[in-house]
Amino acid sequence: MKKTIAIIGSGFSSLAASCYLAQQGNTVTIYEKNETIGGRARQFKKDGFTFDMGPSWYWMPDVFERFFNDFGKNPSDYYELIKLNPAYRVYFGVDDFISIYDNLEEIKTTFESIEAGSGAKLQNFINKAKSNYDIAIKDLVYRPGVSPLELITPQTALKLDQFFSTVSHDIKKQFTNERLIQILEFPVLFLGAKPTKTPSFYNFMNYADFGLGTWHPKTGMFDVVKGIEKLALELGVRFETNAPIDKIVVENKTTTGIIVNGQHIKADIVLSGADYHHSESLLDAEHRMYSEKYWDSRVFAPSSLLFFVGFNKKIENISHHALFFDVDFNQHAKDIYDDPKWPDAPLFYANFPSKTDATAAPEGMESGFFLIPLAPGIEDSETLRETYFEKIVARFEQLTQQSIKNNIIFKRSFCKNDFVTDYHAYKGNAYGMANTLLQTAFLRPKLKSKKVANLYFTGQLTVPGPGVPPALISGKLVAELIQKSFRS
C-alpha cells in the first residue's frame, strides 16, 4: 500500500533512501533546512571559484555502482569520474614526500624503495585487506544492525581474531618505517577513530585506498549529489528547501508527521537523515530512545576546521589531494581523542580541485580547501581559526617551497560552531559516530525507533557508519526496513 513519507534532511543517506522509497511506489518528500540540498556535501561558489564543502574523497566506486544499478542505472548516466594519479601525496618535510599512485604495482615499488622487503609485505597485507573488503563491503554492511547474529558468518568466524587486534598493531608487526606506517594507518581515520583503537578487520580501508583507487567526479563531489537528486526526481521525489523542522509529531506512540515552519505536514512515515541526536530532540522526552548521558558516552568522529581559499595564481609542487604529516601523528590523535584540545602542531589536509577540474577556479588561478581535524565539542572562535590558518599556511609554504599568503583573494572558514548551526551536528562533529568495536553494527543507534511507530533514522550516526558509501548503504537499509514493516 502506498505511503506518504516525509524525510528530514537531504544528505547522501536521505537522498538514497528517497530513491528506494519512491521506487517502492510511495509518495516521498524531502525537507531540507538549508537553501540547497546535499547536507554536509553542499557546494560553495564565490567569484568564479567552486568548492565542495564536505566530502572530497571518492572511494569505493563499487558501492556507488551498486546503488545506481539498483535502479537499472550506472553512475556514468549521471556524472563522469576521473581516476587521480597520483591519488594523493603525503608530505613529511621539505623535499620529503611520498606520492601514492593509481595502481598497486607502483605503490609496492615506492614502498620497496623506502624499506627493503616492504613491497612483498604490502602485497600480502592488501590481499588480506581485499578479503576483508569482500566480506564487509559486499555483505556485512548491507545488514540492518538489528541483531548481533548478523556479524556471525562462516567468513567472519575465520577472522574473529581481527576484531580483537588493532589496525595499528597489525601494521607495525610488518612495517618498521614510520612514514609507511602512517600512510597505512591514514585510511582508517575516515572511520573516525584512532588506528590504535580500530579493529584489524577494518584494514579493508587499505584495499579501498590502494586496490580501488581515488577518483574525482569531473566537477566535484556535488556532481554525485546532483546525480542522485536527478534520479530521485525521475522517481517522483519532491524537494522542499528552507524547510527547518520544528517538531516530529507523535500521537498514541505513533508519528503522524512533522511541523515545518509552523505547519503540520501529515505523513504515514517519518524518516530523519538529520543528526540523530538532533532528530530525537524534535521529539518529546518520553519518545526518545537515547539519553543525553548515552550520547555523551559515545566516541564521536572528529570535528574539523575548514578553509575555502581562492588564489590569484597557480599553486606549484602540489597534487589534487595532499596530506601534511610533518608533525607528530600520534600527538595530534591524542589531542582529538584522549585529551581534547586544540593541537599545538596539527596535521592537515589540502585539496586543490582546480588541479583536475578547470571549472573550479578562474583561468590562471587555484581553488584550495584546507582541513584540520579537531576534537568535537572544542572551543571555537574567529581568533583561534585565524591563528591556525597562519600556522598551516606557514608550513605549507615551507614544505612546498613557495609563497602563497599574498596571493589569497579570499578565504572562508567553517568550524565546530558552523557544523552545529548548519547541520545540528552533535558537539559539532564532522563525520558522525566513530566505528570502534563497541560502536559497530548492532551496537550503533537503531534505524527504527523502538518507542514511536513509523519513525525511522538514517545517516552516519546509525548503521553502518561514517562516510559517503556507508551513507548510501544506510539509505538502502532503512528503506528496506520500512518496506518490510508494510508487509508485517
Side-chain angles (χ1 to χ4, degrees):
M1 181 179 175
K2 179 187 286 189
K3 301 288 184 180
T4 299
I5 301 176
I7 299 180
I8 302 171
S10 64
F12 278 113
S13 56
S14 292
L15 290 171
S18 76
C19 293
Y20 288 108
L21 292 167
Q23 185 187 47
Q24 295 166 13
N26 301 298
T27 300
V28 181
T29 304
I30 286 179
Y31 297 89
E32 167 57 52
K33 72 179 284 289
N34 293 312
E35 292 182 4
T36 59
I37 69 164
R40 297 171 200 231
R42 290 183 298 162
Q43 189 179 67
F44 167 55
K45 291 188 175 185
K46 183 177 175 65
D47 299 340
F49 295 88
T50 302
F51 304 89
D52 286 315
M53 293 188 68
S56 59
W57 295 76
Y58 191 104
W59 275 9
M60 303 184 189
D62 53 320
V63 174
F64 294 86
E65 289 167 9
R66 183 166 173 176
F67 168 75
F68 283 103
N69 290 169
D70 283 343
F71 303 93
K73 305 288 186 178
N74 295 298
S76 58
D77 296 326
Y78 296 92
Y79 53 88
E80 181 182 338
L81 285 175
I82 300 165
K83 193 174 189 184
L84 299 181
N85 190 26
Y88 54 93
R89 184 180 286 178
V90 187
Y91 289 80
F92 297 97
V94 178
D95 281 332
D96 182 10
F97 62 82
I98 296 174
S99 294
I100 300 301
Y101 294 100
D102 68 346
N103 65 90
L104 184 56
E105 289 306 312
E106 282 192 86
I107 299 170
K108 284 163 56 180
T109 299
T110 298
F111 270 52
E112 187 66 30
S113 70
I114 295 168
E115 180 180 315
S118 65
K121 289 178 181 178
L122 180 62
Q123 181 67 66
N124 183 56
F125 183 80
I126 295 300
N127 288 346
K128 292 178 180 178
K130 181 182 186 304
S131 174
N132 288 350
Y133 188 92
D134 290 341
I135 295 169
I137 304 302
K138 296 181 181 179
D139 182 18
L140 292 184
V141 294
Y142 285 92
R143 302 185 182 197
V146 174
S147 164
L149 296 178
E150 293 173 7
L151 295 178
I152 302 173
T153 70
Q155 291 82 8
T156 56
L158 295 173
K159 295 177 177 286
L160 195 59
D161 61 315
Q162 294 189 36
F163 288 93
F164 298 98
S165 182
T166 69
V167 166
S168 183
H169 178 263
D170 285 7
I171 290 171
K172 289 177 179 177
K173 277 198 308 185
Q174 299 178 64
F175 302 90
T176 59
N177 183 275
E178 193 60 33
R179 295 181 302 165
L180 299 185
I181 289 170
Q182 289 182 14
I183 288 172
L184 288 169
E185 287 182 336
F186 148 69
V188 301
L189 297 178
F190 284 110
L191 301 174
K194 293 188 340 184
T196 54
K197 297 291 186 181
T198 304
S200 300
F201 184 74
Y202 284 103
N203 69 9
F204 62 72
M205 292 296 293
N206 293 105
Y207 175 70
D209 181 2
F210 291 175
L212 297 175
T214 301
W215 301 75
H216 182 71
K218 187 176 180 180
T219 60
M221 286 293 288
F222 198 66
D223 284 1
V224 187
V225 173
K226 291 188 293 185
I228 301 178
E229 177 194 28
K230 183 179 179 184
L231 172 62
L233 290 169
E234 291 167 355
L235 292 164
V237 176
R238 292 179 59 250
F239 289 82
E240 297 284 348
T241 54
N242 296 306
I245 311 302
D246 304 316
K247 189 177 182 65
I248 297 173
V249 182
V250 179
E251 298 176 9
N252 299 319
K253 297 183 179 180
T254 300
T255 183
T256 59
I258 52 179
I259 305 293
V260 182
N261 287 322
Q263 180 183 2
H264 184 187
I265 306 294
K266 292 185 177 181
D268 300 311
I269 302 283
V270 173
L271 166 61
S272 182
D275 176 276
Y276 205 123
H277 172 269
H278 169 71
S279 299
E280 286 219 308
S281 77
L282 299 173
L283 295 162
D284 291 333
E286 67 266 27
H287 300 311
R288 300 170 191 168
M289 287 193 294
Y290 303 102
S291 67
E292 288 299 318
K293 183 178 179 181
Y294 169 86
W295 290 114
D296 192 53
S297 70
R298 300 301 91 184
V299 178
F300 272 79
S303 184
S304 296
L305 170 56
L306 312 173
F307 294 101
F308 309 100
V309 187
F311 297 95
N312 65 6
K313 71 170 186 177
K314 285 294 183 184
I315 307 301
E316 305 297 330
N317 308 324
I318 197 71
S319 57
H320 182 119
H321 294 296
L323 303 167
F324 291 82
F325 287 0
D326 55 306
V327 296
D328 191 332
F329 184 102
N330 294 318
Q331 183 58 51
H332 191 159
K334 289 177 183 177
D335 292 340
I336 294 174
Y337 296 103
D338 301 337
D339 180 22
K341 63 180 182 179
W342 282 82
D344 291 330
L347 304 171
F348 69 96
Y349 156 65
N351 169 27
F352 292 88
S354 46
K355 291 294 181 188
T356 304
D357 170 22
T359 69
E363 186 176 356
M365 301 186 188
E366 207 87 84
S367 58
F369 168 103
F370 298 83
L371 180 154
I372 301 173
L374 296 172
I378 205 165
E379 176 191 2
D380 176 17
S381 70
E382 289 301 324
T383 299
L384 280 165
R385 295 184 190 194
E386 192 61 29
T387 296
Y388 278 79
F389 185 72
E390 294 292 331
K391 284 189 178 190
I392 64 173
V393 166
R395 279 171 44 207
F396 183 94
E397 290 185 326
Q398 178 187 21
L399 294 168
T400 63
Q401 301 179 66
Q402 65 191 309
S403 173
I404 63 168
K405 187 176 179 179
N406 294 332
N407 298 101
I408 295 172
I409 299 174
F410 75 87
K411 75 173 186 292
R412 174 185 176 182
S413 66
F414 196 96
C415 197
K416 187 216 66 175
N417 292 345
D418 301 300
F419 281 101
V420 172
T421 300
D422 286 11
Y423 310 127
H424 296 300
Y426 182 70
K427 293 185 177 180
N429 78 85
Y431 304 103
M433 189 184 291
N435 257 339
T436 61
L437 181 60
L438 297 180
Q439 294 182 173
T440 293
F442 68 97
L443 296 172
R444 296 181 72 80
K446 302 301 181 186
L447 292 165
K448 182 178 181 180
S449 173
K450 291 183 178 180
K451 290 194 172 183
V452 179
N454 299 339
L455 175 61
Y456 296 81
F457 304 89
T458 188
Q460 57 191 5
L461 269 68
T462 182
V463 180
V468 177
L472 296 179
I473 295 167
S474 187
K476 178 184 175 82
L477 293 175
V478 75
E480 290 174 344
L481 275 185
I482 292 170
Q483 185 177 40
K484 185 178 178 181
S485 73
F486 295 169
R487 297 170 179 164
S488 58

